[in-house]
Amino acid sequence: MRTARTILLVLTITFLICITGRHGHTANAIKSETPQYEKPPAFAPNQVVVAFKPGTPGKAKKAAHAQAGGRVINTQAAIQADLVEIPSGKVFNKISVYKHNPNVRFAEPNYYYTLDQPPLEGTDPGVCNGGYFEEQWGLHNTGQGFLINSETGDICSAKGISNADINWLEVWESGARGSNTIKIAIVDTGVESTHPDLQSKVVETWVATGISEGPEDLIGHGTHVAGIAAAATNNGTGISGVGINAVVGSLKACKCYPIELFCLTGI
């Protein structure tokens, strides 16, 4: 009786190992293989690109897609690969499923690729590169020359350091440009709200100088600051604002005299 129980116990353990795999996990469970990137490239959240080995039968391809829960959107004949729609947020999980299929040659995210296309801003033959956006080396630095002193004639002698910038152009091209609910307070000499680069951006104005006057900017400093922060982008004029979709509120905090060039603080 003891021998029979021992045999039954061994058979039971053996059966459990067979149906769960060597390490106690379900044999069909596939661990998602998420690659590690210092800066992950952007990709479609609900698509993968799948290519099968030459000679793979159509039925085998359909079975592979069915196993991964994918739906073929189209087939790219040039690279012999299928563009497959999958549940959103499951890219690397589904890629792992495809990679475990012996008929699959490769499976990868549908990465976004963009052209180096800067926004359309103002142009001037008097600046080094012909366009004001190219002067904004803090946004996109290619090592270009930039304006330093037009009076001495050496306006393009200073050079930038390639990629010493805030990666603004990458954000612009990605489409992730922020929201117009982001408000930037400009505490300065006022902001000229009729300026073509700011007329769609100034949403509120206040005067806090303690003097009876309007919100206009008499010397341009606050307008300059507001333009750097949030000038309208891709409008064919002026420059690009750092906050692409941000808006500004102007708090005029000093009374400025354009002739004497000094300010009296009101707060």
Side-chain angles (χ1 to χ4, degrees), residues 86-132:
I86 59 167
S88 184
K90 299 290 185 180
V91 169
F92 293 111
N93 175 270
K94 298 304 181 182
I95 284 175
S96 296
V97 174
Y98 278 112
K99 284 184 175 181
H100 280 77
N101 189 305
N103 293 314
V104 171
R105 182 160 57 94
F106 70 80
E108 62 184 33
N110 184 21
Y111 291 107
Y112 294 135
Y113 289 93
T114 59
L115 299 175
D116 187 10
Q117 184 63 49
L120 177 64
E121 300 298 347
T123 58
D124 186 341
V127 301
C128 300
N129 305 286
Y132 287 121

Side-chain angles (χ1 to χ4, degrees), residues 160-200:
I161 300 174
S162 182
N163 205 36
D165 53 47
I166 63 172
N167 290 327
W168 183 96
L169 189 58
E170 287 83 342
V171 175
W172 165 255
E173 292 178 341
S174 74
R177 302 173 185 175
S179 168
N180 60 8
T181 61
I182 297 173
K183 297 180 181 180
I184 303 173
I186 307 298
V187 184
D188 211 291
T189 61
V191 174
E192 188 54 65
S193 60
T194 60
H195 190 288
D197 237 6
L198 292 169
Q199 58 187 3
S200 64

Side-chain angles (χ1 to χ4, degrees), residues 29-46:
I30 299 174
K31 184 180 179 181
S32 177
E33 300 173 2
T34 305
Q36 300 299 313
Y37 297 101
E38 182 178 345
K39 183 180 179 182
F43 55 85
N46 63 335

Side-chain angles (χ1 to χ4, degrees), residues 176-255:
R177 302 173 185 175
S179 168
N180 60 8
T181 61
I182 297 173
K183 297 180 181 180
I184 303 173
I186 307 298
V187 184
D188 211 291
T189 61
V191 174
E192 188 54 65
S193 60
T194 60
H195 190 288
D197 237 6
L198 292 169
Q199 58 187 3
S200 64
K201 292 302 195 90
V202 180
V203 294
E204 297 179 78
T205 59
W206 304 272
V207 178
T209 61
I211 305 172
S212 178
E213 61 175 334
E216 65 274 1
D217 183 5
L218 297 179
I219 65 169
H221 190 275
T223 302
H224 186 145
V225 172
I228 292 172
T233 298
N234 203 34
N235 64 342
T237 189
I239 62 172
S240 299
V242 174
I244 299 171
N245 286 333
V247 295
V248 300
S250 169
L251 174 60
K252 187 172 181 177
C254 61
K255 169 70 175 180

Side-chain angles (χ1 to χ4, degrees), residues 66-86:
Q67 181 186 20
R71 181 181 69 85
V72 177
I73 300 173
N74 61 57
T75 299
Q76 301 294 322
I79 58 174
Q80 298 182 342
D82 294 336
L83 179 61
V84 182
E85 183 180 48
I86 59 167

